[in-house]
Amino acid sequence: MKNECPPSAAQARTVFGFAKLPAAYATLVMPLLLSILMTFVVSAVSTLRSIGLAPGFLYIWLSAWALSWIIAFPTLLFALPLVRRATAALVMRD
């Protein structure tokens, strides 16, 4: 068993050597990461289904992903507050 030391305060405030953003940025970071991940996966599946593993697949997929992300990120920024309200209306609190 290794003797692991708890992370120092400075280490706990960094990710990959970069300072963490203040908590106020969470409302932008979460939709940013979600839009990147979801459009990446969905555009890959859609492109693969449309053209298969054809020559140029990677270029076609990445250009489709870029276009879909440009649309998805602002859509998420707009829709997320509405979805939170709709979820709160449909789900009982503990």
Side-chain angles (χ1 to χ4, degrees):
M1 194 183 232
K2 289 183 180 180
N3 185 10
E4 295 183 21
C5 298
S8 68
Q11 288 174 326
R13 292 186 194 145
T14 63
V15 177
F16 303 117
F18 295 99
K20 288 186 178 181
L21 295 170
Y25 286 91
T27 57
L28 291 175
V29 172
M30 195 274 298
L32 174 71
L33 297 176
L34 183 61
S35 66
I36 289 170
L37 177 65
M38 291 304 298
T39 56
F40 195 75
V41 171
V42 171
S43 65
V45 170
S46 179
T47 304
L48 189 59
R49 183 141 164 72
S50 294
I51 66 167
L53 286 175
F57 171 80
L58 190 60
Y59 173 79
I60 295 167
W61 169 32
L62 292 178
S63 62
W65 168 75
L67 177 61
S68 64
W69 180 79
I70 288 170
I71 295 167
F73 181 54
T75 301
L76 270 174
L77 290 176
F78 173 75
L80 202 54
L82 302 173
V83 171
R84 282 190 182 124
R85 279 189 232 128
T87 301
L90 295 170
V91 176
M92 288 188 345
R93 292 190 126 173
D94 291 335

